[in-house]
Amino acid sequence: DCGVELTAKEWHAQLQQSTVTTTKPSPLILDCRNTYESDEGIFQNAIPLGTQTFSDTWDALKDKLSLQKQQNEEEQEQPPVYIYCTGGIRCVKVGAYLKQQLGIQDVRSLRHGIVGYERWINDVEEGKKKDDNDDAKNEAKSLWLGKNYHFDQRNRNQKEIVDQK
């Protein structure tokens, strides 16, 4: 069990909701990519693991979650942990580790990772141009800040997917 996979639309709605509500406990959003990837772009309010390689992930997760636990000691309820990576593959392993090794009950990952989110945002943007719907405008305001790091030549021409409006 590696947690719940959210579509890009579900991910967006839940993260958007968490930024406007003051309910406790607030969710923890973890960027499961390496530092050189996180330096290119990150979701709003996300915490990068600060790793150089994927094998550094396990110790980084223990550190980030113990710090989170200290900050939320008086909370009865464990906050949901949102995880994302470039394409979703690393999140399968990270989600399983969080649930099975660290005992995190509520793990939510972004299906198809940032690539899937970018695809969804672009689709919503295209739909918005066609019908100029106010709901689409609100829905399309990207929570991603910066660029998505790619391991090939795509990074050189990658457009920013953050909505600067």
Side-chain angles (χ1 to χ4, degrees):
D1 181 16
C2 59
V4 176
E5 261 192 336
L6 302 174
T7 66
K9 184 176 183 174
E10 293 166 332
W11 173 272
H12 183 85
Q14 289 184 28
L15 293 190
Q16 196 170 43
Q17 182 64 29
S18 74
T19 62
V20 296
T21 60
T22 57
T23 59
K24 296 278 183 174
S26 56
L28 179 63
I29 307 164
L30 296 176
D31 182 346
C32 298
R33 301 170 305 147
N34 296 316
T35 299
Y36 58 89
E37 297 168 278
S38 299
D39 287 347
E40 294 289 321
I42 195 165
F43 276 101
Q44 281 179 350
N45 302 319
I47 300 169
L49 293 182
T51 57
Q52 297 306 308
T53 64
F54 187 65
S55 61
D56 298 336
T57 299
W58 320 121
D59 288 336
L61 285 169
K62 287 178 195 170
D63 292 346
K64 299 290 183 203
L65 290 167
S66 80
L67 179 63
Q68 178 74 9
K69 190 175 184 178
Q70 289 172 7
Q71 292 172 347
N72 291 328
E73 276 184 356
E74 64 275 351
E75 298 297 330
Q76 297 291 336
E77 189 180 331
Q78 214 179 45
V81 177
Y82 290 83
I83 56 175
Y84 70 91
C85 59
T86 303
I89 302 300
R90 285 177 272 191
C91 284
V92 173
K93 287 189 170 222
V94 169
Y97 183 81
L98 288 170
K99 287 191 69 90
Q100 297 168 22
Q101 298 295 317
L102 300 182
I104 304 298
Q105 296 168 7
D106 190 354
V107 177
R108 305 171 194 188
S109 64
L110 176 57
R111 183 180 301 148
H112 304 300
I114 302 159
V115 172
Y117 185 80
E118 179 181 23
R119 222 178 283 134
W120 176 76
I121 283 289
N122 289 336
D123 287 349
V124 171
E125 284 288 327
E126 289 300 314
K128 182 173 80 172
K129 289 176 189 171
K130 289 178 190 168
D131 62 14
D132 203 26
N133 182 334
D134 282 340
D135 290 337
K137 283 181 186 176
N138 292 333
E139 191 173 279
K141 184 148 177 57
S142 180
L143 302 176
W144 178 259
L145 307 171
K147 297 179 183 180
N148 182 17
Y149 181 90
H150 289 281
F151 293 94
D152 58 24
Q153 297 298 326
R154 292 177 289 175
N155 196 40
R156 292 188 180 161
N157 296 317
Q158 182 69 27
K159 79 169 197 154
E160 292 191 25
I161 59 175
V162 65
D163 185 350
Q164 296 291 338
K165 297 175 190 164

